[in-house]
Amino acid sequence: MSAESGEDTGIKGVLVTDNKGKCLLASGAAEDVRIRAIISDSEWLEDAAERRFVPILLNDARFVGFVSPYPAGYVVLISSPPADTVLQFVMRVDFAYDILNHILNDPYDAMTIVDANAKMAYISPVHEKFFGLEPGGGVGKPVRDVIENTRLHLTLKTGVAEVGQVQRMKGVDRVVSRYPIRHGKKIVGAIGRVMFKGPQQLEAMARKISDLEGQIETYKSNARKTKESGPVDFLDAIIGNSLAMRSLRDQIRKIAPLDIPVLIQGESGTGKELVAQALHQLSSRKDQRMVTVNAAALPVSLVESELFGYEAGSFTGADRKGRVGKFEQADKGTIFLDEIGDMPLEVQTKLLRVLQDRIVERVGGDKPKRVDFRLCSATNRDLEAFVEQEKFRLDLYYRISPVTIQIPPLDQRREDIPLLLNHFVAELAAQYGRDVPEVEMEIAHHLMERSWPGNVRQLRHVVERAFVFAEGSKLKLEDFESGPGDDTAPDTERATSFSTSGGGSLKDALEDLELHLIHDAVIRFKGNKKKAAEHLGVSRSYLYKKLGTGTDA
């Protein structure tokens, strides 16, 4: 008979003997006198019981025997081999049973088996422990209810193996392979193998691969810099391979050649100025200047002299030679108005006139000058809400936002954190003249689980602090644990650490907390006390008063 067909496999017979090989019970194929003659040999039984799996070969049939001792003798299960390869394996490997036992219990290579209905039939002990299951606790349950992000149910449907895929389970990435199992031409189940824990050599190999990938990316980047001009450099500086960041770069490529005003919106620290630089460098104005203006920092009394310039001797304290305004500096180039949402209304009115007419006149001058510039603006404010609240002019909003680019916050693209981590480490190594350190694999997972209200800017700050204070040539997880100035710590951790920082009365503690929050706000807004006061919901006079009484002011 042909074992390759797979149509005639399964238990064919059972035979029970005493310790000397005398037959006590025979059923099915075991009733064949030839098989009984083979099994009745006590030496054969002892050898077979040690091997567990043994071939039983007759002139007209081939079987595999599973031999197990019991207190009064031996039990032999006789089965047709599912394929010639199985028979060859059992014939040639004396320890075939031990290999099977090792495969099922391997702590580094876990196994999950599902039946044709995608229900768990078997799960390795190490995998049960990983998922917090009791032995056999997953059996009979739908695999999707037990294993996060599994695709075994899809493997059953498609019949296509998936080899070397990355699957995230309980916050950890594992390398998995999935295979359909066939009985003849019918898919009867599927098996998943997981590179589970991994020896140290595997982790070392992963680090080497990561380092090599980084080097290759550096070589590619250098090659592009050699062949192409600056624009690609600025686009490459927008780090991230998430769908959101790929879409962002595509938007920049499409919008940059168009000489149209662009409003860049995003939270503080997301990289709005990088986007503005990329828009400028990919435009036809790339050979001219990009002039940056912090719109929120423009005082009403000096806005005209800053934006439009002034003639010599036009007012007390003016430069003897006069000064060219920001718009004149940006002539034929790009002007970037950062934080335009915080611009005072009086300044907005003066800005609107220039944007409409494209004509500036210096303070103290009488010669209007036409200027040609491309306008980019940026804000972390909701300008539409500001328009409704009459904090921002509607006509100015329409003037600056024919096209809007939205930058996603870091919390919405956590998958980019490993790339940003490697980029910052390499950048800091060059900045401080050090070798690029090795980075523990757990660090990226740790950073991906934290909150990032300060976005990419905050992430770079955390990486830089860890880089500066790290011991040796390796960045370790403990280098990234919460410390002074670490805003990634959960709110409960910060509150607990503050509340236990000292004794004193409740009034003293509240005053200390208030000062702590005020100082944090001033630092967050780079010394801009007006913005800090707005953020805290207090008046500027109250803020100045508290800073005046604080010992750290």
Side-chain angles (χ1 to χ4, degrees), residues 478-530:
E478 51 262 35
D479 296 325
F480 287 82
E481 292 178 347
S482 298
D486 184 1
D487 294 331
T488 65
D491 292 339
T492 53
E493 289 181 18
R494 290 201 296 267
T496 302
S497 64
F498 179 85
S499 64
T500 59
S501 61
S505 66
L506 176 61
K507 181 180 179 181
D508 292 337
L510 289 174
E511 288 182 354
D512 287 344
L513 175 60
E514 187 177 36
L515 274 175
H516 177 76
L517 293 174
I518 289 173
H519 289 151
D520 278 356
V522 172
I523 292 171
R524 177 179 178 182
F525 292 103
K526 300 179 181 178
N528 189 322
K529 296 180 178 61
K530 179 177 181 292

Side-chain angles (χ1 to χ4, degrees), residues 113-182:
I113 298 173
V114 298
D115 62 18
N117 297 316
K119 291 187 176 181
M120 305 279 287
Y122 176 81
I123 182 169
S124 295
V126 66
H127 225 173
E128 288 179 325
K129 184 177 180 181
F130 179 73
F131 287 113
L133 299 172
E134 295 293 328
V139 174
K141 295 181 179 179
V143 66
R144 297 172 71 182
D145 294 347
V146 179
I147 299 179
E148 181 183 1
N149 298 320
T150 183
R151 288 176 55 86
L152 280 174
H153 59 292
L154 300 177
T155 303
L156 283 172
K157 291 181 179 180
T158 64
V160 177
E162 299 179 348
V163 181
Q165 303 295 307
V166 176
Q167 179 176 334
R168 191 166 185 80
M169 295 177 284
K170 297 186 70 174
V172 180
D173 290 331
R174 302 291 188 196
V175 178
V176 305
S177 296
R178 310 176 188 93
Y179 307 92
I181 303 300
R182 291 178 169 83

Side-chain angles (χ1 to χ4, degrees), residues 423-437 460 467:
H423 171 74
F424 290 146
V425 168
E427 186 178 72
L428 290 166
Q431 177 181 334
Y432 291 105
R434 298 184 186 176
D435 293 333
V436 178
R460 191 188 190 282
F467 183 92

Side-chain angles (χ1 to χ4, degrees), residues 293-309 315 342-351 353 363 391 528 530 540:
V293 178
N294 187 331
L298 287 174
V300 177
S301 58
L302 298 178
V303 62
E304 289 184 303
S305 60
E306 286 293 318
L307 293 181
F308 313 141
F315 56 86
D342 297 296
M343 178 181 282
L345 280 169
E346 300 93 326
V347 180
Q348 293 178 31
T349 302
K350 296 175 180 179
L351 172 64
R353 186 176 70 250
V363 175
K391 294 181 179 179
N528 189 322
K530 179 177 181 292
R540 268 189 287 179

Side-chain angles (χ1 to χ4, degrees), residues 457-473:
R457 183 186 296 127
Q458 182 187 6
L459 175 62
R460 191 188 190 282
H461 167 76
V462 170
V463 175
E464 183 171 20
R465 187 183 60 216
F467 183 92
V468 169
F469 291 104
E471 298 290 341
S473 60

Side-chain angles (χ1 to χ4, degrees), residues 320-369:
R320 293 181 180 180
K321 297 181 181 179
R323 178 179 293 181
V324 177
K326 300 294 186 182
F327 282 104
E328 279 192 72
Q329 294 176 26
D331 189 30
K332 301 297 189 296
T334 300
I335 189 163
F336 175 50
L337 300 179
D338 196 10
E339 300 186 39
I340 195 169
D342 297 296
M343 178 181 282
L345 280 169
E346 300 93 326
V347 180
Q348 293 178 31
T349 302
K350 296 175 180 179
L351 172 64
L352 180 63
R353 186 176 70 250
V354 178
L355 298 183
Q356 289 173 335
D357 302 336
R358 300 294 172 113
I359 293 176
V360 296
E361 184 175 331
R362 294 186 183 182
V363 175
D366 57 0
K367 296 180 180 179
K369 179 179 179 180

Side-chain angles (χ1 to χ4, degrees), residues 184-199:
K185 296 182 179 180
K186 182 181 179 182
I187 297 177
V188 295
I191 181 172
R193 306 299 301 272
V194 183
M195 185 66 73
F196 197 76
K197 208 166 189 178

